Amino acid sequence: MRLVIALLIGSIGGVGMWSVVVVLPVVQAEFAATRGAASLAYTLFMLGFGAGGVATGKITDRFGIVAAMGLTIAVLGVAFVLAGLSTTLWQFIAVYLLIGLGTSATFAPLMAEASHWFERYRGLAVTIVASGNYVAGTVWPPLVNWGTQLVGWRETHVAIGIVCAVTMTLLLLVLRAQMADGQVRDHANAPPPQVDLKLSTNALTVLLCIASISCCVAMSMPQVHIVAYCGDLGYGVARGAEMLSLMMGFGVVSRIGSGFLADRIGGLRTLLVGSLAQGFALLFYLFFDSLTSLYLISAMFGLFQGGIVPSYAIIVREAMPAAEAGTRVGIIIFASVFGMSFGGWVSGVIFDATGSYAAAFANGLAWNALNLAIVTTLLFRGRGRLVPA
């Protein structure tokens, strides 16, 4: 029951990550801005999302997930209303930092909390909660695009803020009742880490942060720019929103599948599989740009990369103390969203400089290769010391 509620909260609260992608071309045109400048809204969102994940992770470890979630719901509702009222591009960009903060508790802290609810099926539980982010990416883009076409992007943002504040508050009250008033978890009897990589917790955190940055720079190119890319190719913004929705829908399948896989082979090996598959999908974007091929590649990309980010949370629970889970997961997810924000911005800059997204896709492949190198190194360090989940 907790998993169902957590999934619903993540699915509703994850709207900010995708609303900015859908309205990017409209906002760019209204404020007569460059693609790189307009993309900064996504960058600020991701920075707020990542920094907020660290802060709310600490709040979760100390006061419980209900306190962290209640705080961010209030920020999220107010921020969306402010976005609809913004009169300049820089106001819009700044408000998306607040939207990122308001979204933060729906991902890293919620994954860390769910990891304490299960032992045997921990990987599956974590990826189900993480799928809320992609369910949001499946459901919200068509709705945001429809609202933008019908009443405008400003009114759509105000409506989203009201809907999120009301529905998420009601769901949080139910979750609080399910968790016995959301009391703080006692980790005194938690089992020790299952995986020994012969690294200190801080050293492993740093390596996982670098790995998450590199994989997410690669991941951000299609996710952030697919709508604008389709507009540039003459297919229209609506087709791009459909591709984004398709990508996220298959990402849900990927995330849940990766949970099953992680419960059998561990989080580190699951991360390697996802990283290899993501690089393979990115390669196709370099060679095919017909409408049909873009639909197919977007579905493939979602299916291949969806399990990458939750794998980091699973690795943290396998290799680090349970009492630090909320904070450590928050730090690594912060690194991943920094990679997403940097990747989204730099792809826009590369487009402005070259007039094409080809170089941006090549840039993503290079960062993906760095991720593979780090994960492979960790696997070799842990060879012979990886304990089955």
Side-chain angles (χ1 to χ4, degrees):
M1 188 62 182
R2 294 181 192 178
L3 277 178
V4 171
I5 298 168
L7 177 60
L8 288 172
I9 289 174
S11 301
I12 297 168
V15 57
M17 186 174 293
W18 313 110
S19 61
V20 65
V21 176
V22 174
V23 303
L24 181 64
V26 180
V27 171
Q28 179 189 353
E30 178 169 329
F31 293 116
T34 64
R35 184 68 52 81
S39 297
L40 282 174
Y42 183 84
T43 301
L44 267 290
F45 169 85
M46 295 304 284
L47 289 176
F49 182 63
V54 177
T56 53
K58 287 183 175 293
I59 292 171
T60 300
D61 285 337
R62 186 168 180 180
F63 300 107
I65 188 64
V66 173
M69 191 69 67
L71 179 63
T72 56
I73 289 172
V75 174
L76 183 65
V78 171
F80 261 104
V81 173
L82 291 176
L85 300 176
S86 58
T87 58
T88 67
L89 177 63
W90 298 110
Q91 288 177 1
F92 179 80
I93 291 171
V95 168
Y96 257 92
L97 174 68
L98 294 178
I99 292 176
L101 290 170
T103 307
S104 60
T106 66
F107 197 61
L110 205 54
M111 281 196 295
E113 178 64 28
S115 73
H116 301 307
W117 299 342
F118 295 85
E119 292 287 342
R120 184 178 177 186
Y121 297 110
R122 177 180 293 148
L124 181 58
V126 167
T127 54
I128 287 174
V129 172
S131 295
N133 170 284
Y134 275 10
V135 172
T138 304
V139 174
W140 281 109
L143 291 176
V144 174
N145 182 63
W146 173 76
T148 301
Q149 299 297 324
L150 184 66
V151 297
W153 67 268
R154 296 179 183 278
E155 292 79 1
T156 300
H157 274 70
V158 172
I160 289 172
I162 296 170
V163 169
C164 287
V166 173
T167 57
M168 293 176 70
T169 298
L170 293 175
L171 287 169
L172 183 62
L173 291 174
V174 178
L175 181 62
R176 182 176 182 271
Q178 287 287 325
M179 295 178 61
D181 297 332
Q183 61 188 7
V184 181
R185 183 169 297 278
D186 181 11
H187 299 291
N189 298 318
Q194 299 169 307
V195 175
D196 180 14
L197 298 175
K198 298 300 181 183
L199 289 169
S200 69
T201 301
N202 288 338
L204 180 57
T205 300
V206 170
L207 283 175
L208 290 176
C209 283
I210 297 172
S212 64
I213 289 171
S214 56
C215 74
C216 289
V217 171
M219 189 185 300
S220 67
M221 174 55 234
Q223 289 189 8
V224 178
H225 290 275
I226 190 65
V227 176
Y229 185 39
C230 286
D232 294 338
L233 292 173
Y235 301 135
V237 171
R239 301 287 81 75
E242 290 171 359
M243 290 178 198
L244 180 62
S245 181
L246 184 67
M247 189 186 299
M248 296 303 102
F250 277 91
V252 174
V253 176
S254 175
R255 288 205 161 167
I256 295 176
S258 70
F260 279 106
L261 188 63
D263 283 331
R264 286 157 179 77
I265 67 174
L268 203 53
R269 293 189 179 98
T270 302
L271 177 59
L272 179 65
V273 171
S275 185
L276 279 169
Q278 175 176 265
F280 181 73
L282 274 174
L283 195 61
F284 279 88
Y285 278 111
L286 282 171
F287 299 103
F288 302 96
D289 62 2
S290 70
L291 184 61
T292 301
S293 64
L294 286 175
Y295 273 109
L296 292 173
I297 296 169
S298 295
M300 181 173 66
F301 185 82
L303 187 62
F304 285 174
Q305 56 80 41
I308 291 177
V309 173
S311 295
Y312 293 107
I314 296 168
I315 293 168
V316 167
R317 288 295 284 113
E318 290 175 344
M320 300 185 191
E324 302 176 13
T327 302
R328 297 289 176 174
V329 172
I331 291 171
I332 295 167
I333 297 302
F334 179 34
S336 73
V337 298
F338 174 80
M340 289 290 289
S341 61
F342 173 74
W345 171 76
V346 79
S347 296
V349 171
I350 291 172
F351 173 85
D352 289 335
T354 64
S356 167
Y357 277 122
F361 283 119
N363 176 65
L365 280 168
W367 283 93
N368 199 81
L370 174 60
N371 174 267
L372 282 171
I374 294 172
V375 176
T376 302
T377 299
L378 289 175
L379 272 172
F380 274 107
R381 284 192 63 87
R383 189 169 55 181
R385 294 190 292 268
L386 296 179
V387 182

